[in-house]
Amino acid sequence: MAYPGYPPSDGYPAFPGYPPTGQESVYPPAGQYSYPPVPGGYPPAGGGGTYPAAPPTAGYAGTAGYPASGGYPGAPQAGGMPPYAGAPSGPGFGVPPAGPGFGGYPQPPAQSYAGGGPAQMPGYPSGQTPSPVPGLPAAMVQCTQGTIQAAPNFDAGRDAEILRKAMKGFGTDEQAIINVVANRSNDQRQKIKAAFKTMYGKDLIKDLKSELSGNVEELILALFMPSTYYDAWSLRHAMKGVGTQERVLIEILCTRTNQEIRDIVNCYKSEFGRDIEQDIRADTSGHFERLLISMCQGNRDENQTVDYQKAQEDAQRLYQAGEGKLGTDESCFNMVLASRSFPQLKATVEAYSRIANRDLLSSIDREFSGNVERGLKAILQCALNRPAFFAERLYYSMKGAGTDDSTLIRIIVTRSEIDLVQIKQVFSQMYQKTLATMIASDTSGDYRRLLLAIVGQ
């Protein structure tokens, strides 16, 4: 059946280029979110297998607690896993990575897998766990957390009434609206939207648009979009009209799970009447186009067991395709990075540093440029430390003069129920300031209040 009450009859004209026509499609069940692999990687299933020796110091900062030869490569110890070459080190991780080239990342707070099962994630409320995600290992669920959780004792009719009163009559009670939308899950917001229309015969989105404007309007409309639809809308908007927002394509297509990508591709077709592959071919070219087309297939291996022999072979293959030859075999990089699981890629990165005496991110810097470089590095960064990838995107959306509000809104909204807690922690380690502090200094008014409410301040 159609997604209840979505999209509204008047569309979202305040979003430039918002094109949906016709009826809404069937949306996937709410709550299927992208939980990243646990930073630091997973031990192979069953606890068996032979582990290669610990990597040499080349490419790694010396960090106490790194496992001795024969230990699990990359397994976090009490002292934390050493960052890759170029990463800040020492207390507080020093200065942030330089430039938009995504330098080495500090690792998130140390955890231990010794004795089975991950340790409590710092900042994770004791005794609370996110809802299980079908098809994903329990450890992946336990070590990720959104700042927005489904509200207990939820009553869609009561929330619809609160929103109606906040918008009725002269003036608008923006704080009442913020209190509702920032403390309900996306699934609950969809139910509020349906209840509002049932109770009052009016479209909630149309009423909100008439009462709000600017960035706070864009943020609230994004919060009320089903997550799959919002990703599809963002991709369409990135390729519509003159110019292409390549970083949006990278941010979404290179970070989502297979099922999420397939749902996005189907939604793109049903809502906008367009084939996403054709739009990508029309708006991009060369090796970047091929990488995005590979991502659109949603066929990445998602087996969490790491094959260290294959990692060694892939690392050797990548070395021979880049650093070890004159010129670059781009198709080899595309094949490995587009098809291997994220834990497998992490093991490949570790094997590569032993073969090339250089980390793979640095080699991609040397061998590629432009958007294909950014796309390949985004994939590797998600394999190594996904929260750090989004933390850096947030940082550069606010750094310097002006604010990239669309990027700020998109990441805060899309990660709010997945891993925004971990993104906040890594942000503080990388930049020596909290995400909330930077948001507060870069935004204002109701827009600032709503963002801060979402990030949990």
Side-chain angles (χ1 to χ4, degrees):
M1 74 185 213
Y3 204 96
Y6 202 84
S9 56
D10 67 331
Y12 286 84
F15 274 48
Y18 183 82
T21 57
Q23 298 302 310
E24 64 271 24
S25 66
V26 176
Y27 283 86
Q32 293 182 355
Y33 304 111
S34 166
Y35 284 87
V38 174
Y42 295 103
T50 301
Y51 301 106
T57 55
Y60 291 87
T63 301
Y66 196 77
S69 177
Y72 177 66
Q77 303 294 310
M81 177 181 165
Y84 286 92
S89 59
F93 298 95
V95 297
F102 302 101
Y105 283 137
Q107 296 298 311
Q111 306 169 64
S112 173
Y113 292 87
Q120 185 79 9
M121 171 65 77
Y124 197 89
S126 176
Q128 297 182 24
T129 57
S131 300
V133 179
L136 292 182
M140 294 174 69
V141 179
Q142 291 173 358
C143 287
T144 55
Q145 185 192 5
T147 55
I148 292 181
Q149 308 282 332
N153 305 316
F154 171 67
D155 184 333
R158 181 181 58 202
D159 286 346
E161 186 176 2
I162 292 171
L163 293 177
R164 171 68 172 154
K165 289 180 179 178
M167 295 183 286
K168 190 175 181 181
F170 182 76
T172 304
D173 185 351
E174 289 88 354
Q175 189 60 51
I177 297 173
I178 290 172
N179 290 343
V180 170
V181 299
N183 294 286
R184 305 293 184 271
S185 67
N186 188 279
D187 181 55
Q188 290 175 334
R189 292 186 209 110
Q190 307 312 316
K191 291 173 180 170
I192 294 170
K193 196 160 48 179
F196 193 94
K197 184 169 284 189
T198 299
M199 294 167 66
Y200 304 112
K202 301 184 69 178
D203 192 288
L204 174 59
I205 302 303
K206 183 176 180 181
D207 278 11
L208 286 169
K209 284 175 54 57
S210 69
E211 299 290 330
L212 305 169
S213 62
N215 290 323
V216 71
E217 176 189 354
E218 181 176 346
L219 176 54
I220 285 181
L221 296 187
L223 287 165
F224 273 103
M225 287 187 187
S227 55
T228 298
Y229 186 90
Y230 185 40
D231 276 345
W233 178 87
S234 297
L235 291 170
R236 177 67 190 126
H237 184 55
M239 294 185 281
K240 185 179 173 69
V242 179
T244 305
Q245 299 173 43
E246 291 88 353
R247 290 180 185 268
V248 177
L249 305 183
I250 292 169
E251 178 195 307
I252 295 174
L253 293 176
C254 293
T255 65
R256 302 307 193 246
T257 65
N258 287 345
Q259 189 59 54
E260 286 174 330
I261 288 175
R262 292 170 192 154
D263 292 339
I264 290 167
V265 169
N266 290 336
C267 180
Y268 194 95
K269 178 71 172 178
S270 62
E271 289 301 322
F272 310 129
R274 304 179 68 91
D275 184 282
I276 193 169
E277 285 191 29
Q278 292 180 5
D279 281 357
I280 287 172
R281 294 185 195 282
D283 273 61
T284 62
S285 61
H287 298 294
F288 181 55
E289 172 195 325
R290 294 180 197 122
L291 179 64
L292 293 181
I293 295 298
S294 293
M295 295 296 100
C296 284
Q297 306 315 301
N299 284 329
R300 180 182 299 283
D301 179 12
E302 292 187 330
N303 184 352
Q304 299 302 303
T305 302
V306 174
D307 182 337
Y308 288 99
Q309 180 62 38
K310 180 186 283 188
Q312 185 74 17
E313 293 168 358
D314 282 346
Q316 186 66 46
R317 185 181 289 119
L318 292 173
Y319 179 74
Q320 294 299 332
E323 296 277 0
K325 65 175 288 186
L326 183 63
T328 306
D329 180 358
E330 293 88 356
S331 63
C332 178
F333 280 82
N334 193 102
M335 183 274 291
V336 172
L337 271 64
S339 62
R340 305 296 189 251
S341 72
F342 285 131
Q344 184 69 32
L345 284 176
K346 186 177 187 303
T348 301
V349 169
E350 292 161 354
Y352 187 92
S353 70
R354 297 192 290 273
I355 292 171
N357 200 28
R358 183 194 307 276
D359 68 64
L360 186 51
L361 286 170
S362 297
S363 290
I364 289 175
D365 264 335
R366 292 160 59 92
E367 299 292 325
F368 294 89
S369 62
N371 290 314
V372 67
E373 175 197 344
R374 284 188 281 272
L376 292 171
K377 291 172 72 174
I379 294 169
L380 284 182
Q381 288 149 7
C382 283
L384 296 170
N385 189 338
R386 190 189 308 244
F389 168 76
F390 287 109
E392 188 163 25
R393 290 278 288 151
L394 286 170
Y395 178 76
Y396 285 105
S397 74
M398 295 179 280
K399 184 177 183 292
T403 303
D404 181 355
D405 292 294
S406 291
T407 295
L408 177 59
I409 290 170
R410 188 175 55 255
I411 295 177
I412 293 294
V413 169
T414 58
R415 310 314 293 183
S416 62
E417 294 182 52
I418 303 173
D419 55 359
L420 192 50
V421 167
Q422 282 69 45
I423 291 170
K424 287 165 56 180
Q425 291 171 342
V426 175
F427 190 99
S428 297
Q429 294 164 356
M430 291 170 69
Y431 302 111
Q432 304 302 296
K433 64 174 73 175
T434 67
L435 175 58
T437 297
M438 198 160 184
I439 288 173
S441 65
D442 230 57
T443 60
S444 61
D446 295 323
Y447 179 45
R448 173 200 287 165
R449 281 191 286 276
L450 180 51
L451 284 171
L452 293 177
I454 295 170
V455 301
Q457 295 301 126

